[in-house]
Amino acid sequence: MKTRVFSGMQPSGNLHIGNYLGALKNWVRIQHDYECIFCIVDMHAITLPQDPAQLRAKIVEIAALYLAAGIDPQVCSIMVQSAVPAHAELAWMLTCVTPVGWLERMTQYKTKSAKQESVGDGVLQYPVLMAADILLYQAGIVPVGEDQAQHLELTRDVAQRFNSLYGDTFVVPGTSLPAVGARIMGLDDPAQKMSKSTTAAGHAIALLDPVDKIRKTIMRATTDSHPAVDFATAGPGVLNLLSIYQAFSNATDEEMERRFTGLRYGDLKKEVAEMVISHIEPFQERYRQIVSEPGYLAGVLRDGAERVAPIANSTVRVVKERMGLYV
Ligand code: AQP
């Protein structure tokens, strides 16, 4: 039997090249080697305020982006989190075995709660819901970007705690980070992770940005005061541009050094822009075709949910039995 893979994205904004290089590209690469479930985690998105109509539209957009990136719905299950109620059921049961201190230590909780006057409980519980998503399917591998590594560590802790309290129940999952592109930084500020929720101009390249905008954003990216690429002394902005190029092109470290050493920053940016655009243009063309058939997309999401629901329901049943709930 193939190892099961689970991962997801929040429909909380415009997917950017960080989401693609950190996660989606990896999903496409491994989809034939494992039994994959790729989710649109809408219940995670509502941990922060969302406009309902916009959220509904984003769910469909993200599903179309998964397909445009090359996820094959014949091989993988693509589904929306809220379409399978077992996610919420298991999340509650796991909440009851998770110490609050574990959640308060999460970096994402600290960052997101610092930006708000009043912090919703969902922001704190976010990683428990993520643990439920993964453990529900007994996933062995979870391909994510580096920012989610801490949440995955927590998922393992929750699984181990449950297993030790109630007997072996959950597979303890492993993380899978890409070798290059696990943490793409903001183009305006290479000290900050590229993020959907940062709306500053020049920060991110969205997968659906027009080509002209992509070129402009890259040409204006923050670099450093050196004139040309030197791998030994390059600052974070230049390293970020080089990572973007390398992750899109799959070039080796040696190829990167040969191609870019001594190149002036303006020329580096031109090459990065062309590399990104050469991938994004056909991607956007596929996206347009996919959204022109909304019935097809709805069918993909319905099939995905129908395929995974029996696995999820059977895990919930076992967990209820182990915890002594009424089944
Ligand atoms: N900058 C990044 N570089 C590499 N990978 C990244 N990911 C996110 N940002 C980067 C990975 O993309 C997947 C989907 O993430 P998510 O939708 O759960 O959102 P997130 O991790 O909270 O990241 P965002 O895009 O910055 O969204 P907001 O601003 O809404 O929080 C994950 O695998 C993530 O690691």
Side-chain angles (χ1 to χ4, degrees), residues 7-24 27 41 48 108 112 126 143-149 181-185 193-198:
S7 197
M9 307 231 178
Q10 296 182 78
S12 53
N14 297 326
L15 282 205
H16 50 72
I17 58 168
N19 300 130
Y20 177 72
L21 297 173
L24 194 46
W27 301 358
V41 291
L48 291 176
Q108 184 175 292
K112 291 202 166 169
Y126 181 110
V144 286
E146 202 182 77
D147 65 318
Q148 291 299 334
R183 191 175 184 81
I184 299 297
M185 309 308 284
K193 175 191 90 114
M194 187 177 284
S195 178
K196 285 191 228 97
S197 50
T198 304

Side-chain angles (χ1 to χ4, degrees), residues 179-247:
V180 183
R183 191 175 184 81
I184 299 297
M185 309 308 284
L187 292 168
D188 57 337
D189 176 4
Q192 304 297 325
K193 175 191 90 114
M194 187 177 284
S195 178
K196 285 191 228 97
S197 50
T198 304
T199 50
H203 171 74
I205 293 175
L207 295 175
L208 296 177
D209 271 350
V211 163
D212 286 356
K213 184 175 176 198
I214 295 175
R215 200 172 277 118
K216 256 188 220 148
T217 307
I218 294 178
M219 292 312 289
R220 288 180 189 159
T222 303
T223 48
D224 52 46
S225 54
H226 306 297
V229 179
D230 174 350
F231 280 81
T233 59
V238 173
L239 291 176
N240 191 37
L241 288 170
L242 290 165
S243 291
I244 292 170
Y245 184 98
Q246 187 171 15

Side-chain angles (χ1 to χ4, degrees), residues 21-278:
L21 297 173
L24 194 46
K25 181 170 180 263
N26 221 2
W27 301 358
V28 175
R29 187 177 60 82
I30 64 174
Q31 64 180 326
H32 295 286
D33 303 333
Y34 301 101
E35 183 193 332
C36 295
I37 302 171
F38 296 124
C39 190
I40 296 139
V41 291
D42 55 346
M43 294 202 300
H44 276 101
I46 59 166
T47 57
L48 291 176
Q50 303 290 338
D51 173 77
Q54 221 173 337
L55 177 62
R56 207 165 292 121
K58 280 283 161 199
I59 292 170
V60 177
E61 180 182 301
I62 300 233
L65 286 170
Y66 285 3
L67 296 179
I71 300 291
D72 181 352
Q74 302 295 330
V75 191
C76 310
S77 302
I78 302 176
M79 41 83 62
V80 181
Q81 189 183 31
S82 63
V84 180
H87 287 254
E89 272 185 283
L90 183 61
W92 175 251
M93 292 182 259
L94 297 181
T95 294
C96 296
V97 300
T98 306
V100 151
W102 289 7
L103 302 176
E104 285 170 338
R105 277 199 293 275
M106 294 294 108
T107 312
Q108 184 175 292
Y109 168 68
K110 289 187 203 159
T111 319
K112 291 202 166 169
S113 57
K115 289 182 191 161
Q116 295 168 73
E117 268 175 35
S118 155
V119 183
D121 189 30
V123 180
L124 182 67
Q125 299 300 332
Y126 181 110
V128 185
L129 179 58
M130 178 165 157
D133 295 342
I134 296 162
L135 301 180
L136 203 49
Y137 300 104
Q138 308 288 2
I141 301 173
V142 185
V144 286
E146 202 182 77
D147 65 318
Q148 291 299 334
Q150 192 187 36
H151 286 164
L152 262 179
E153 196 54 54
L154 186 108
T155 297
R156 281 191 281 278
D157 291 344
V158 171
Q160 275 155 352
R161 187 176 169 92
F162 191 98
N163 287 350
S164 74
L165 288 171
Y166 295 105
D168 242 7
T169 307
F170 294 120
V171 168
V172 179
T175 312
S176 163
L177 297 180
V180 183
R183 191 175 184 81
I184 299 297
M185 309 308 284
L187 292 168
D188 57 337
D189 176 4
Q192 304 297 325
K193 175 191 90 114
M194 187 177 284
S195 178
K196 285 191 228 97
S197 50
T198 304
T199 50
H203 171 74
I205 293 175
L207 295 175
L208 296 177
D209 271 350
V211 163
D212 286 356
K213 184 175 176 198
I214 295 175
R215 200 172 277 118
K216 256 188 220 148
T217 307
I218 294 178
M219 292 312 289
R220 288 180 189 159
T222 303
T223 48
D224 52 46
S225 54
H226 306 297
V229 179
D230 174 350
F231 280 81
T233 59
V238 173
L239 291 176
N240 191 37
L241 288 170
L242 290 165
S243 291
I244 292 170
Y245 184 98
Q246 187 171 15
F248 270 108
S249 66
N250 297 320
T252 62
D253 291 350
E254 295 72 33
E255 284 164 346
M256 289 298 294
E257 293 209 12
R258 233 180 294 127
R259 187 173 188 101
F260 291 109
T261 300
L263 199 70
R264 301 187 72 79
Y265 288 165
D267 293 327
L268 164 69
K269 287 176 175 178
K270 275 187 203 150
E271 291 225 25
V272 174
E274 292 322 308
M275 177 54 66
V276 173
I277 290 165
S278 72

